[in-house]
Amino acid sequence: VQLQASGGGLVQAGGSLRLSCAASGRTFGMYDMAWFRQAPGKEREFVAIILWSASMTSYADPVKGRFTISRDNAKNMVYLQMNSLKFEDTAVYYCAARHYSNHSPTYEYWGQGTLVTVSS
């Protein structure tokens, strides 16, 4: 699976952005998909996950109620709708894939990242 993240940019605090992640391969529907982010000088952190079947989503506490993860298995796409953006959301955002049979926290495939900059 190859992943290509896009949609980042510069936005004012309180604004919105939608990130997209395009996946290659015919088995996209067998992968749990997640978004991570890494702010300057900080470690990469989990943001959100959606299971392969879209039956469950989960979010990190800092983004709950503001971000929404979704997927379209027919289009091999996963999205991250980010609303009410804050300065501290500034980071490089990465999409990642984990086969549904992999019950470890390790993700097998990563996209190249897209930069989100929130101005205060």
Side-chain angles (χ1 to χ4, degrees), residues 35-39 43-48 60 62-63 88 91:
W35 288 95
F36 289 77
R37 67 185 182 186
Q38 187 167 19
E43 293 188 351
R44 187 170 59 195
E45 63 177 1
F46 167 80
V47 175
V63 308
E88 50 265 39

Side-chain angles (χ1 to χ4, degrees), residues 30-104:
M30 299 175 70
Y31 286 83
D32 300 333
M33 297 298 298
W35 288 95
F36 289 77
R37 67 185 182 186
Q38 187 167 19
K42 295 187 177 181
E43 293 188 351
R44 187 170 59 195
E45 63 177 1
F46 167 80
V47 175
I49 184 174
I50 184 166
L51 295 189
W52 64 277
S53 61
S55 60
M56 192 201 80
T57 59
S58 182
Y59 300 89
D61 286 342
V63 308
K64 280 181 181 177
R66 299 188 298 121
F67 290 11
T68 302
I69 189 170
S70 61
R71 68 189 295 161
D72 185 337
N73 284 351
K75 295 182 178 179
N76 282 16
M77 296 291 295
V78 63
Y79 306 99
L80 185 68
Q81 178 66 43
M82 306 185 296
N83 299 329
S84 302
L85 282 162
K86 304 176 181 180
F87 176 75
E88 50 265 39
D89 294 319
T90 295
V92 177
Y93 284 72
Y94 300 88
C95 56
R98 180 183 70 188
H99 195 267
Y100 77 94
S101 64
N102 177 4
H103 300 294
S104 79

Side-chain angles (χ1 to χ4, degrees), residues 14-30:
S16 298
L17 276 177
R18 189 176 83 152
L19 305 183
S20 299
C21 178
S24 65
R26 294 177 292 178
T27 59
F28 173 74
M30 299 175 70

